[in-house]
Each structure stands twice: as C-alpha cells, then as structure tokens.
Amino acid sequence: MKFRRIKQVFGILFILAALCAVLAVGVSAASSGTCGGEGDGTNLTWTLDDAGTLTISGSGAMADFGATSQPWYSNKDGILSVTIESGVTSIGNCAFYKYEKLKEIIIPDSVTSIGILAFTKCQALSSVTIPYGVTTVNRGVFADCTGLESVELPSSITTIGQSAFTGLKNLASVTIPDSVTSIEDDAFSGCTKLTSITIPDSVTSVGAGVFQGCYNLTEVMLPNSITSISINTFTLCSSLTRIEIPEGVATIGPYAFYGCSGLTSVNIGNNVTSIGSYAFKGSTSMTKFKIRATVPPTCETQALDDINKLECTLYVPMESIDDYKAMDPWKNFFIEKIRMDGDSNGDDTVTMADANAIVNNFLAKGTDGFVEGDFDEEAADVNEDGSVTMADANQVVNMFLSGEK
C-alpha cells in the first residue's frame, strides 16, 4: 500500500516536472523567433525583453500576417514598444493589429512599405513618423488609433489609402505633402479634432467620405487639380462655414455636404454641370451661394433642400440670370449678378475708388454702418473670408496696380 502511494507521488512529480519543462520551453519560444518574408523566413528575427520592447532585426521584408497569426501574438498585451532596426524593408500586413498597449514605434529609414492594417486600433500610440521612402499609406494602417495626436507624412508619399487615418479622434492637424496625388475613400473620416486641412495641387483624386464626420473642421482648401467632389466627402462637417469649389470641378456628388449645418457661403466654379442628390441638404445657415457656370447645373433629388431660398442670395453670371430664373430649383432663390472681384462700387471696373469704398465701409462699421453710394459686400470680400476688412482693400490696391481684373 505504502509502495503504491510512493509510486503515485513520483508519478505526480514526474508529470509536474514535464509540465514545467514544457512551460519553460513555451516562454522561451514566445520571447524570440523569426518573422521574415523571404525564403524560409529567417531573414528577420524578433526578440521581446522583460521591459516589453519588441525588437525586429535583420535584412529584407517582413512576412504578412492575419489578425491573430503574428509570431509574437501570445504576448500582445505585454508589448509596449517596438523597435525596428535598420535593414528591415517592410512591415507586414496586420503586424500589430489591435495591439492596444503599444505606446511607441520606431521605424527606420530602410522601411519603404507598411502593410494594410499594420497598426489598426493601436490606441495607446500618440505619435508616429513615417520614414522617407514609403510611397503609400496603405488601407487602414492607422485606423482607429485614437491616441494619435500627430502624424508626419514624408514627401515620398503619393497615395493615402482607404481609411488610412479614419477614427483618429485626437488628430488635430496633418500636413499633406506636395507629392500626394490620390486620397482614397474615408482616409480621414471621423477625425473629430481636425480643424483645417489644405490639399495640395498635386492631388487629382479625392475619394468618397474622405472627411465625413469631421465635425470640428472649419476650413478646407481644395486644389484646382480635382475634377469632382465625391459622395459623402464632407458629410456632417457641421463646423464648416464656407467652401470654395475650384474651377476644374464638373460634378458635386450625392451627400457631398449633407448635414453641413454651419455652412454660410459656397463659391462654385464655372465648370460644374451637376449637383447630386442631397448634396447640400441640411445647410440651414446658407446666406450666399455663388455659382459661375453660365449654364445652370442640373440638381438631383433634394440637392438644395433646407437652404432658405428667401434668406440666401444666389449670385450667377449676368448673362445667365434669365436661365437660372427659369429652372428649378434655382428660380426659387433671390438672384443677383456676380460682380467682378473687387468691384465694390458696382461700376464694372476695379480702381482705387473701390479700395476707398472698402476702407469707408470698414470704418463705418464702428459708427452707424452707413456707406454712401452703391456698395457690394459680396464683390468687396475679395479674399472670400466672409467679412470685408482692410485686407480686402489692400488686395484691391494690388489688383489695380498690377492691372489684374
């Protein structure tokens, strides 16, 4: 009986010893390994130290992974920082997908490619620098990285991919370099702290929903190089107060400015031929709608609904007034002719008299607000900032001196 118990004890001890050995091997295996994307994968190795730093070293490309198939996945909650050493040329798809504890990533200049969804939902990341040499910010790379406050894009970037920065609720500003030619669908959607953005003239394509839900966006500069405003581009950008649509734009897509309740002024170039369904629906604050097209654009279902036609003045080319008055929904607006920029006194020329009229108007604002003679605030607002100031007067002087009309 006693011998049987001793055998049982030794059996238990043997099993425990075997388990400890397995666990020991498991910890060791989970702390280092290979992750290369070339040959047998040994071109890159990785190690994880006790401080939570994952280091990837070697030469060449990293392998692509699925959402949970990274070799370091079992330690994802313990990875606080990642250091990728020089020599590594790519970061694989989903390499750090939903690594919510990751606070810092160091990417060397040798990296020229970052795979799709590589850092999606890394919510503890506060900043990231993309090295020169990377040409594409791929789909969803930094999507829902809600802690990101700044992103540096190098001048090598040509494409900002679909949903690349969507949901970055703490991103206050971003500079798009002149190298970028394409911004794909939903690239900055839901970036609710973003207040202004300038899209350079190098960009020829802006996808659907790019700024959808950026409700603190107040200013956007669109380039002359684009030919259309896509569906949902500025949907629910409720803080946007004015927009200037460049001369090259031919179509304004459905829902393009849907729910832009703060929009007061729109200036549309002379090549627009159509405005899509619900494009400006919800623009309840609109007071000035200027369109330079000589042929009235067609408007799809409820394109201009919710604009108070009695409170909003429609400015159109003088020779086209009758055409606009005969066509729905334009005929429901109060319509005036577009005067040339700077012609504040309405004499169809831009001279020093116009600059003087602007100065007098500006000074009169502090007294009784009365300016003698015919004064056109719409034409006087040369810089299109929504107010007539000394800056407009200075611009008119420069126009006169340079002979610009």
Side-chain angles (χ1 to χ4, degrees):
M1 189 72 170
K2 185 180 292 187
F3 178 72
R4 186 181 300 170
R5 286 182 181 175
I6 291 172
K7 285 180 65 177
Q8 289 176 341
V9 170
F10 272 108
I12 292 170
L13 290 174
F14 178 80
I15 293 170
L16 289 173
L19 284 172
C20 287
V22 170
L23 289 172
V25 171
V27 170
S28 175
S31 298
S32 63
T34 61
C35 58
E38 300 176 7
D40 61 0
T42 57
N43 61 299
L44 297 184
T45 60
W46 65 273
T47 58
L48 178 63
D49 64 22
D50 293 338
T53 298
L54 179 72
T55 301
I56 298 172
S57 57
S59 178
M62 186 186 297
D64 290 327
F65 310 106
T68 61
S69 65
Q70 311 93 340
W72 44 77
Y73 180 76
S74 60
N75 290 302
K76 64 173 292 191
D77 289 337
I79 297 176
L80 306 179
S81 66
V82 173
T83 298
I84 300 175
E85 295 188 344
S86 183
V88 178
T89 59
S90 73
I91 299 172
N93 295 347
C94 296
F96 302 98
Y97 179 81
K98 293 183 71 173
Y99 279 53
E100 297 175 353
K101 302 292 179 64
L102 181 61
K103 296 179 179 180
E104 182 183 25
I105 175 73
I106 298 174
I107 306 174
D109 291 339
S110 58
V111 168
T112 58
S113 174
I114 302 175
I116 63 172
L117 308 176
F119 298 99
T120 300
K121 295 189 177 181
C122 290
Q123 297 174 351
L125 274 178
S126 60
S127 66
V128 66
T129 299
I130 300 172
Y132 184 86
V134 174
T135 58
T136 300
V137 184
N138 273 313
R139 175 169 62 87
V141 167
F142 298 104
D144 295 319
C145 291
T146 53
L148 269 181
E149 298 175 356
S150 65
V151 176
E152 292 187 30
L153 299 177
S155 58
S156 57
I157 295 290
T158 59
T159 301
I160 299 175
Q162 180 182 352
S163 303
F165 300 104
T166 191
L168 270 60
K169 296 179 180 179
N170 285 301
L171 184 68
S173 65
V174 63
T175 300
I176 299 174
D178 291 338
S179 55
V180 173
T181 59
S182 175
I183 303 174
E184 296 182 353
D185 298 354
D186 298 304
F188 295 97
S189 64
C191 293
T192 53
K193 272 196 176 180
L194 199 62
T195 57
S196 65
I197 195 161
T198 298
I199 301 175
D201 285 335
S202 57
V203 173
T204 57
S205 174
V206 177
V210 167
F211 300 105
Q212 180 172 297
C214 295
Y215 53 73
N216 279 311
L217 191 65
T218 60
E219 184 178 6
V220 176
M221 298 294 291
L222 296 174
N224 292 319
S225 48
I226 62 173
T227 58
S228 65
I229 307 293
S230 298
I231 183 172
N232 292 125
T233 300
F234 296 100
T235 296
L236 300 178
C237 291
S238 54
S239 295
L240 196 63
T241 57
R242 53 184 298 272
I243 190 75
E244 184 156 349
I245 297 175
E247 297 291 343
V249 172
T251 59
I252 298 173
Y255 298 92
F257 298 93
Y258 180 89
C260 293
S261 56
L263 203 58
T264 61
S265 172
V266 171
N267 189 352
I268 299 176
N270 58 16
N271 286 310
V272 169
T273 59
S274 66
I275 299 175
S277 301
Y278 308 100
F280 291 95
K281 185 172 175 59
S283 297
T284 55
S285 301
M286 192 82 72
T287 58
K288 182 171 73 173
F289 202 104
K290 182 192 291 187
I291 184 163
R292 299 179 186 275
T294 54
V295 176
T298 58
C299 293
E300 302 299 331
T301 305
Q302 299 186 43
L304 305 179
D305 270 30
D306 298 334
I307 296 177
N308 188 333
K309 312 299 191 296
L310 299 177
E311 297 293 332
C312 179
T313 301
L314 175 65
Y315 294 91
V316 300
M318 182 176 180
E319 65 271 25
S320 303
I321 288 178
D322 289 341
D323 293 332
Y324 278 88
K325 285 183 175 180
M327 184 175 176
D328 282 327
W330 307 112
K331 67 182 183 181
N332 298 317
F333 285 84
F334 177 72
I335 300 176
E336 288 192 4
K337 71 172 184 177
I338 296 176
R339 288 182 179 174
M340 68 176 68
D341 290 340
D343 181 22
S344 61
N345 62 10
D347 64 357
D348 294 325
T349 61
V350 177
T351 66
M352 292 299 292
D354 296 295
N356 289 333
I358 293 173
V359 171
N360 290 336
N361 173 79
F362 179 72
L363 296 176
K365 294 291 187 182
T367 55
D368 58 7
F370 174 76
V371 178
E372 185 177 354
D374 184 16
F375 184 78
D376 188 333
E377 289 201 10
E378 189 273 333
D381 184 16
V382 184
N383 60 15
E384 294 281 349
D385 66 354
S387 61
V388 178
T389 66
M390 294 298 289
D392 296 296
N394 289 334
Q395 198 161 335
V396 169
V397 170
N398 292 333
M399 290 169 66
F400 174 71
L401 293 177
S402 65
E404 182 183 346
K405 297 292 184 290

